[in-house]
Amino acid sequence: MTSTWGAISSQGHGVRGLRTMSINRIGAHSLVFLSFFCTLSLSANCPCDCRGPPKVECPCSCTCEAGQQAVTQGNITSCAECGVDTYGDGNGPCAACPEHSTTNANRGQTFCICRSGFTYITDPVTNTAVSPLQCADINECQGNNNCHAQATCTNNIGLYACRCNPGWRGDGVSCNNINECTDNLQNCEKGPPAATCTDTMGSFTCSC
């Protein structure tokens, strides 16, 4: 049996030059998400009606808060929150989060964070997240994972898998020695000559 696991990304950063923050500055192992849950009428000139007053060319211009975008329906332009896994600064349409990043199911966001199992790529000079955000796979097999000492860790994109080694049985997180002698998984008695099976950790031996 194999156990498959993901890793939690511990830091979140903005994209496209928007405001960023390091989770380490707030608290270890904390995930902080900034939300801007605004109504459609927060902006000074929203919603607007191109029929006036004053009458203007349709659609009328509308200034939105960060985390929103202008949406026109008929003659009315109003502000609407950016959807899940999209972000915006209020100056244009909401954009999709970069590959392997998310808003963690929140709406009205101004930035995205790397998904579980991924980490942000940093600028080697400034040691801060590159903009726009880029997320790289975390190789949990080279770092923290919960595979058993007698299991093999296999890294996959965004997650990893644990599989018990030959001679061991379990889900990869917990592995127990297989007694080949009592489970009849040995050929000692086939001979000739017949031999005595002795179980060892992860294997067995045959002795005459």
Side-chain angles (χ1 to χ4, degrees):
M1 183 182 294
T2 302
S3 291
T4 302
W5 300 81
I8 298 299
S9 177
S10 61
Q11 292 182 302
H13 287 266
V15 288
R16 299 180 65 184
L18 300 179
R19 183 180 178 182
T20 66
M21 65 162 57
S22 170
I23 298 304
N24 286 337
R25 294 178 57 188
I26 298 176
H29 309 298
S30 295
L31 290 177
V32 177
F33 308 103
L34 296 183
S35 300
F36 295 87
F37 295 98
C38 305
T39 63
L40 297 181
S41 60
L42 271 181
S43 299
N45 64 333
C46 287
C48 63
D49 188 336
C50 62
R51 295 170 299 183
K55 185 176 181 179
V56 295
E57 182 179 353
C58 294
C60 54
S61 297
C62 197
T63 301
C64 297
E65 300 287 334
Q68 298 179 337
Q69 65 179 349
V71 177
T72 299
Q73 292 183 332
N75 299 308
I76 307 298
T77 299
S78 58
C79 293
E81 286 181 331
C82 295
V84 173
D85 290 340
T86 66
Y87 69 98
D89 59 8
N91 295 321
C94 299
C97 286
E99 186 178 19
H100 306 310
S101 67
T102 179
T103 60
N104 201 42
N106 291 316
R107 302 171 63 87
Q109 300 300 292
T110 60
F111 66 90
C112 307
I113 63 170
C114 292
R115 292 184 180 275
S116 171
F118 296 86
T119 187
Y120 60 90
I121 296 176
T122 58
D123 185 304
V125 177
T126 63
N127 199 34
T128 58
V130 297
S131 181
L133 181 69
Q134 296 181 43
C135 300
D137 175 57
I138 297 173
N139 189 339
E140 294 86 357
C141 297
Q142 294 180 351
N144 295 327
N145 63 76
N146 60 352
C147 293
H148 189 268
Q150 292 298 333
T152 298
C153 180
T154 301
N155 183 63
N156 297 302
I157 301 299
L159 45 80
Y160 66 100
C162 306
R163 182 184 294 273
C164 293
N165 295 329
W168 298 80
R169 179 185 292 122
D171 60 7
V173 176
S174 175
C175 297
N176 299 303
N177 174 57
I178 297 174
N179 190 326
E180 292 84 359
C181 300
T182 59
D183 289 357
N184 198 28
L185 298 175
Q186 43 77 29
N187 57 1
C188 297
E189 299 174 354
K190 291 183 178 181
T196 300
C197 178
T198 302
D199 181 59
T200 61
M201 297 300 288
S203 186
F204 66 95
T205 60
C206 301
S207 59
C208 297

